[in-house]
Amino acid sequence: RPFPLERSSDGSGLAETSFVLPDVVIREENGQLIAEVVESRRFYLRLNPLYQELAQSAARQQQDISAEEREHLSTFVTRARLFLTDLRQRRETIRRIAEFLIDRQEAFLRHGVRHLGALTRAEVAAALGVHESTVSRATANKYVQIPNEEMVPFSHFFTASLSVKDVIQELIANETAPLTDQDIVEILRGRGLDVARRTVTKYRGQLGILPSTLR
């Protein structure tokens, strides 16, 4: 929020400012791009040692506890272990996805959005041997800090149109006379980008740029 003292819409008090934190940091070390899952540094969860000891003793019937207490220990310790296992698997999945993106989108990571290649979540899933929905869930609402320290959502890696939009924005920013959408199509074609005029019109609208007659 650009106005930190802006009040919330319901008038209940000051609006709370939210900040985006990276879930994955991709940085360069010794000329190589590496990925780090930040979640593993933010917090550490473990099963209470007392519960582990009680559960083991109960299983060996070394503790004088009731059947109800033994069942409680067994049930909740098992649930806790499964939860921790799921967390580790999620982190591992995110790490594998990030490393695959480094391999496929290295040009984008090193040189900017103009070099973003076409990639789908289905391709990532096939390469990692998981279901596409697993990739979707693992990357939904998550952010990556790329080597230039820009924060981008994971979805950027799957939006090849961003590179075309960047070219369109640059062409219009540097025009000496207003370029029509058809003019832009011809310029893009000359650069090896085959984009339909209606697509240029759509992208221009998404960028908030007026048509040539109004510029």
Side-chain angles (χ1 to χ4, degrees), residues 65-150:
I65 60 177
S66 67
E68 183 180 354
E69 291 170 329
R70 185 176 289 109
E71 182 180 357
H72 168 84
L73 285 169
S74 175
T75 299
F76 286 94
V77 167
T78 299
R79 287 183 183 178
R81 286 173 176 163
L82 286 173
F83 178 73
L84 293 175
T85 298
D86 287 344
L87 275 181
R88 285 192 294 270
Q89 289 178 341
R90 186 182 71 171
R91 291 173 187 165
E92 177 63 13
T93 299
I94 294 174
R95 183 191 63 78
R96 293 177 65 204
I97 292 172
E99 290 180 348
F100 181 81
L101 293 176
I102 288 174
D103 183 60
R104 284 290 300 273
Q105 301 283 23
E106 184 173 358
F108 159 59
L109 292 169
R110 291 187 181 275
H111 308 297
V113 70
R114 194 68 59 85
H115 301 272
L116 185 64
L119 181 66
T120 66
R121 291 173 179 81
E123 290 179 74
V124 177
L128 300 184
V130 298
H131 196 275
E132 183 178 351
S133 62
T134 300
V135 175
S136 297
R137 287 194 304 270
T139 58
N141 303 315
K142 290 185 173 59
Y143 289 81
V144 183
Q145 181 176 303
I146 57 180
N148 66 1
E149 298 191 358
E150 181 183 356

Side-chain angles (χ1 to χ4, degrees), residues 25 28 31 33 37 51 79 90 95 98 100 118 146 178 181 184:
V25 173
E28 185 174 355
L33 295 178
V37 181
Y51 257 78
R79 287 183 183 178
R90 186 182 71 171
R95 183 191 63 78
F100 181 81
I146 57 180
D181 292 344
I184 295 173

